[in-house]
């Protein structure tokens, strides 16, 4: 079987254990799954993962989730948090993706393939540096039939662009826009707000 990539999973949610193993290992990912944070940290240093994945059950205290984020804040590896906790309460700039468990079932495969395999051609790479806001922009893009890869920090966006080619880049934090244009050297890069809809940049997607 082809080896697709290394996924490190910190998982204190027993409900999803079989879901991860059945789906990811069968597809060809190496999956290191533990609920021991010390072991997770040691292996993370020994074997370079493509993605760090954290799945928290509904009873995990918000303070505990936040403490784990700080442990990996300097990592350049995309960090995905799967939790029902409100984004505004667990926001940390090191987190690349926030997913509910339902969103993980729908979107996790696309995220992992983008980082590990690549060759994706999403219509929009959306660098949403304010994930705690309601995103009308992302919702309107999806409703209009456009594929969107939403990421919540610049480092993960760089990782994505190493292997994938979107039609446009949209970023919702004005001070970072000029920096990101230089960083990515990508011609179609636009400032958007979470409150707007896709209509304002739709002409650049055709």
């Amino acid at each position: 079987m082809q080896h697709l990539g290394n996924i490190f999973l910190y998982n204190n949610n027993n409900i999803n254990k079989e879901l991860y193993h059945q789906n990811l290992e069968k597809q060809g990912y190496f999956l290191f799954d533990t609920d021991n944070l010390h072991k997770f940290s040691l292996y993370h240093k020994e074997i370079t993962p493509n993605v760090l994945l954290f799945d928290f059950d509904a009873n995990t205290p918000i303070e505990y989730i936040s403490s784990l984020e700080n442990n990996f804040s300097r990592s350049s590896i995309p960090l995905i948090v799967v939790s029902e906790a409100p984004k505004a309460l667990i926001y940390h700039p090191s987190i690349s993706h926030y997913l509910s468990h339902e969103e993980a079932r729908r979107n996790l495969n696309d995220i992992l393939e983008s980082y590990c395999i690549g060759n994706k051609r999403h219509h929009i790479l959306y660098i949403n540096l304010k994930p705690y806001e309601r995103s009308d922009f992302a919702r309107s893009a999806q409703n209009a039939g456009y594929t969107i890869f939403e990421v919540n920090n610049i480092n993960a966006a760089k990782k994505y662009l190493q292997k994938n080619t979107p039609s446009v880049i949209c970023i919702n934090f004005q001070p970072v826009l000029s920096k990101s244009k230089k960083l990515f050297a990508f011609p179609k890069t636009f400032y958007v707000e979470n409150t707007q809809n896709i209509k304002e940049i739709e002409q650049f997607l055709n």
Side-chain angles (χ1 to χ4, degrees):
M1 180 183 291
Q2 182 183 5
H3 175 65
L4 301 184
N6 298 326
I7 310 299
F8 276 34
L9 171 63
Y10 174 81
N11 185 9
N12 70 355
N13 189 354
N14 289 325
I15 294 174
N16 281 344
K17 277 189 181 290
E18 287 306 312
L19 175 68
Y20 287 121
H21 284 278
Q22 288 175 3
N23 288 347
L24 300 184
E25 290 184 331
K26 283 185 177 179
Q27 288 179 57
Y29 293 102
F30 167 75
L31 180 65
F32 176 72
D33 179 359
T34 183
D35 60 0
N36 183 311
L37 185 60
H38 178 66
K39 186 184 294 186
F40 184 92
S41 300
L42 288 178
Y43 272 79
H44 163 237
K45 294 173 183 176
E46 294 293 327
I47 305 172
T48 303
N50 296 93
V51 171
L52 298 174
L53 177 60
F54 293 80
D55 188 320
F56 299 105
D57 70 25
N59 298 318
T60 306
I62 287 173
E63 295 77 15
Y64 183 68
I65 298 175
S66 299
S67 70
L68 289 192
E69 295 162 7
N70 289 326
N71 286 342
F72 295 91
S73 61
R74 296 186 179 181
S75 176
S76 62
I77 300 166
L79 193 161
I80 303 168
V81 168
V82 182
S83 171
E84 302 307 319
K87 294 175 186 176
L89 297 182
I90 61 170
Y91 170 74
H92 193 286
S94 65
I95 298 179
S96 310
H97 303 268
Y98 299 85
L99 302 172
S100 67
H101 290 92
E102 178 59 35
E103 289 168 336
R105 283 187 280 274
R106 292 198 311 264
N107 302 328
L108 186 59
N109 274 344
D110 183 53
I111 294 171
L112 296 181
E113 287 175 7
S114 297
Y115 289 125
C116 297
I117 305 168
N119 299 317
K120 295 277 189 174
R121 295 186 175 274
H122 297 98
H123 291 107
I124 304 165
L125 167 60
Y126 184 34
I127 305 172
N128 181 7
L129 301 181
K130 299 177 182 178
Y132 40 82
E133 295 181 344
R134 190 182 75 181
S135 185
D136 296 329
F137 177 78
R139 190 175 298 107
S140 71
Q142 291 167 335
N143 289 342
Y146 296 108
T147 54
I148 183 168
F149 187 87
E150 181 174 338
V151 64
N152 302 128
N153 60 39
I154 295 293
N155 283 339
K158 287 169 64 177
K159 290 282 187 183
Y160 170 87
L161 286 169
Q162 288 172 4
K163 295 184 177 182
N164 306 277
T165 309
S167 299
V168 302
I169 295 176
C170 294
I171 184 167
N172 77 343
F173 195 49
Q174 183 73 55
V176 181
L177 183 64
S178 57
K179 176 184 174 183
S180 65
K181 283 184 176 179
K182 295 175 184 176
L183 196 62
F184 304 140
F186 197 87
K188 292 184 178 181
T189 304
F190 304 97
Y191 169 72
V192 299
E193 295 183 358
N194 272 326
T195 53
Q196 75 183 66
N197 62 47
I198 192 65
K199 295 295 183 185
E200 295 173 50
I201 67 145
E202 198 163 23
Q203 59 182 310
F204 301 103
L205 291 166
N206 298 323

